[in-house]
Amino acid sequence: MADQMIPEELARMRGSIDNLDAAIIHIMAERFKITQQVGHLKAACGLPPADPGREAQQIERLRCLADEAELDPEFAEKLLNFIVSEVVRHHTEIAIRCPGAGRGHANN
């Protein structure tokens, strides 16, 4: 009943937002499938779960992309930091379970 009082334009905009939210979820699922593979490869090669140099490059790259897209670069950085923290957590869990996880960590 409350939906009947919502202006048509608002309902249309909300529908677009819902579609974008669904796309974001599917894109993030694909991203995490790939980062899981990266985690297994890192563990098998004895590489550490985190790569601060790569993370710094990604932050700079996404801040530039955000600026070009007229999105707040601070928001983009916060979002990437959250995503990276989840990825590193997953990579750490994989490294603990992977037989090759002990190699290469002495230099950290």
Side-chain angles (χ1 to χ4, degrees):
M1 302 232 175
D3 286 346
Q4 293 174 347
M5 299 179 71
I6 295 174
E8 187 176 321
E9 184 177 7
L10 178 58
R12 182 186 56 74
M13 289 177 181
R14 286 179 174 172
S16 294
I17 290 168
D18 292 348
N19 290 338
L20 289 167
D21 287 344
I24 290 167
I25 294 300
H26 288 281
I27 288 169
M28 290 306 302
E30 286 302 310
R31 189 187 195 287
F32 276 92
K33 286 176 189 173
I34 295 166
T35 61
Q36 289 289 317
Q37 293 172 5
V38 168
H40 285 283
L41 182 57
K42 281 181 167 184
C45 293
L47 297 171
D51 184 343
R54 165 80 173 154
E55 293 163 22
Q57 290 172 343
Q58 284 295 89
I59 288 170
E60 184 59 32
R61 186 177 77 82
L62 291 185
R63 285 183 66 91
C64 289
L65 287 171
D67 192 47
E68 291 170 6
E70 298 181 8
L71 178 68
D72 180 7
E74 290 293 319
F75 170 78
E77 183 172 347
K78 288 176 187 176
L79 179 61
L80 182 64
N81 283 330
F82 174 74
I83 292 168
V84 167
S85 70
E86 283 298 298
V87 169
V88 170
R89 184 176 65 81
H90 293 165
H91 288 187
T92 301
E93 290 172 3
I94 291 167
I96 290 168
R97 294 190 313 260
C98 182
R103 296 190 328 255
H105 289 271
N107 295 333
N108 290 343

